Amino acid sequence: MEIRQLKTFWTLASTRSFSRTAESLNYVPSTVTMQIKALEEELGVKLLDRLGKTVVLTDAGYQFLPYANKILNDIEEARHVSSQSGELTGTVIIGADEVLCTYRLPALLRLFRERYPRVRLLFRPLSSHNLKQSLREGQADVVFMLDEPAVSVDLHTELLLDEPFHMVVSPDHPLASRSTLSIEDFHGEHVLLSEKGCSYRNYFYRTLLKKGADSLTELEFNSAEAIKQCAMTGLGIALLPEMVIKGEVERGELIVLPWDLSEIRFATQMLWHQEKWISPSFRGFIEMARSVLSH
């Protein structure tokens, strides 16, 4: 049994794709097939089935995966201990939505680079609806999402920080001076929305459209920064995280509307696949993320 065979099996179990595994490990697909076949012959069991283009672990494959994960983790730790410098090395692939990429992650990435200069950080900005899939397909080690708390059967989800949201308008907007609002006040208004599939876009619909607002004009953007700038010019009503608008609200450039948003909870969350091999460099990143982002 060879280490490279275990790494290939573990990667294939994460990506569920021979082609993506080959690309990740810089192999040709036939090499992946050969290594898995050799591992199965040595173990005397079938570890996976190919169903069309999808790879499915057999019962034996599921039972063997934790052992492969432990062996690979022990090897990585041994390499770390035996290295002369004792510094963490390796690669961590990170994904995040646009808001967290802009407002939460820069401080974390800078501090991690300063403390662990030999660890290579690869960052992939992804749309909200692609983040979880990137973990399931092995395209990212860890992702950060701004979303409602949820439980997943195959992904480890860790809540780091609650994120308040506000509806905001420019100071000269007709609703800016109102001390109270009813759903009728939103009739005919322009609303500035994030991309389809975004959790807080869906919440906007729940709080306005489903409560009876009608004749709304929707303007869609793929950037929270663009939504904020358009709201500041008086183009319409925006629903944005407090971290995005805090400075503008303090300076009076945006006005928070008196609309109750307490019924829903959003949070910055960190996710990785439950079968993910936690290397020392990955563990170091997780621990630092908890420290930097949880307060």
Side-chain angles (χ1 to χ4, degrees), residues 106-150:
L108 167 63
L109 300 181
R110 177 184 58 80
L111 182 59
F112 189 84
R113 283 287 301 274
E114 291 175 354
R115 188 168 301 178
Y116 304 112
R118 297 185 62 192
V119 177
R120 184 185 180 203
L121 293 178
L122 296 180
F123 183 77
R124 291 180 175 172
L126 296 166
S127 59
S128 299
H129 62 277
N130 287 329
L131 286 168
K132 292 182 180 179
Q133 193 63 25
S134 72
L135 296 177
R136 296 185 173 109
E137 295 179 352
Q139 297 176 359
D141 296 321
V142 59
V143 301
F144 296 88
M145 296 181 62
L146 178 60
D147 205 344
E148 301 174 63

Side-chain angles (χ1 to χ4, degrees), residues 218-232:
E218 302 172 12
L219 300 176
E220 183 175 314
F221 302 84
N222 61 5
S223 163
E225 189 65 25
I227 292 174
K228 179 175 69 176
Q229 293 299 326
C230 288
M232 290 170 61

Side-chain angles (χ1 to χ4, degrees), residues 10-44:
W10 176 85
T11 304
L12 189 55
S14 299
T15 65
R16 306 300 172 96
S17 165
F18 275 82
S19 60
R20 285 195 291 269
T21 296
E23 182 182 358
S24 175
L25 299 177
N26 199 26
Y27 291 154
V28 295
S30 60
T31 300
V32 176
T33 301
M34 180 183 64
Q35 291 187 9
I36 294 299
K37 183 178 179 181
L39 183 59
E40 289 178 330
E41 289 177 352
E42 182 168 351
L43 293 172

Side-chain angles (χ1 to χ4, degrees), residues 244-263:
V244 175
I245 58 172
K246 184 177 181 180
E248 287 75 15
V249 170
E250 291 176 349
R251 293 190 296 269
E253 297 168 351
L254 284 172
I255 303 299
V256 175
L257 294 180
W259 188 254
D260 184 14
L261 301 177
S262 61
E263 68 182 63

Side-chain angles (χ1 to χ4, degrees), residues 21-270:
T21 296
E23 182 182 358
S24 175
L25 299 177
N26 199 26
Y27 291 154
V28 295
S30 60
T31 300
V32 176
T33 301
M34 180 183 64
Q35 291 187 9
I36 294 299
K37 183 178 179 181
L39 183 59
E40 289 178 330
E41 289 177 352
E42 182 168 351
L43 293 172
V45 294
K46 190 170 182 60
L47 297 173
L48 53 88
D49 290 316
R50 299 181 72 165
L51 305 178
K53 295 183 179 181
T54 303
V55 173
V56 178
L57 292 181
T58 63
D59 289 341
Y62 277 111
Q63 292 175 22
F64 182 67
L65 184 60
Y67 294 98
N69 184 62
K70 184 178 186 305
I71 292 169
L72 291 170
N73 196 42
D74 289 345
I75 290 171
E76 183 68 20
E77 289 182 355
R79 287 174 176 164
H80 170 61
V81 170
S82 61
S83 66
Q84 290 184 352
S85 66
E87 291 183 288
L88 290 185
T89 60
T91 300
V92 180
I93 305 175
I94 308 152
D97 60 33
E98 177 258 343
V99 171
L100 297 182
C101 174
T102 304
Y103 292 95
R104 288 286 182 233
L105 293 189
L108 167 63
L109 300 181
R110 177 184 58 80
L111 182 59
F112 189 84
R113 283 287 301 274
E114 291 175 354
R115 188 168 301 178
Y116 304 112
R118 297 185 62 192
V119 177
R120 184 185 180 203
L121 293 178
L122 296 180
F123 183 77
R124 291 180 175 172
L126 296 166
S127 59
S128 299
H129 62 277
N130 287 329
L131 286 168
K132 292 182 180 179
Q133 193 63 25
S134 72
L135 296 177
R136 296 185 173 109
E137 295 179 352
Q139 297 176 359
D141 296 321
V142 59
V143 301
F144 296 88
M145 296 181 62
L146 178 60
D147 205 344
E148 301 174 63
V151 177
S152 173
V153 296
D154 60 342
L155 302 178
H156 174 87
T157 304
E158 191 165 324
L159 271 62
L160 298 176
L161 185 66
D162 284 329
E163 301 285 4
F165 271 68
H166 302 289
M167 283 188 185
V168 293
V169 294
S170 66
D172 57 356
H173 191 279
L175 300 181
S177 61
R178 300 288 297 275
S179 58
T180 61
L181 292 173
S182 66
I183 195 64
E184 289 76 18
D185 294 318
F186 293 96
H187 292 341
E189 291 290 343
H190 290 73
V191 294
L192 313 178
L193 300 175
S194 51
E195 60 182 339
K196 286 183 173 66
C198 176
S199 58
Y200 47 92
R201 174 196 173 111
N202 296 335
Y203 177 64
F204 211 133
Y205 276 104
R206 291 203 299 272
T207 57
L208 294 183
L209 297 182
K210 290 187 177 181
K211 289 185 177 181
D214 57 20
S215 302
L216 295 176
T217 301
E218 302 172 12
L219 300 176
E220 183 175 314
F221 302 84
N222 61 5
S223 163
E225 189 65 25
I227 292 174
K228 179 175 69 176
Q229 293 299 326
C230 288
M232 290 170 61
T233 65
L235 191 57
I237 302 169
L239 176 71
L240 288 169
E242 186 174 271
M243 60 178 150
V244 175
I245 58 172
K246 184 177 181 180
E248 287 75 15
V249 170
E250 291 176 349
R251 293 190 296 269
E253 297 168 351
L254 284 172
I255 303 299
V256 175
L257 294 180
W259 188 254
D260 184 14
L261 301 177
S262 61
E263 68 182 63
I264 199 74
R265 178 188 177 196
F266 288 90
T268 291
Q269 303 172 59
M270 177 170 57

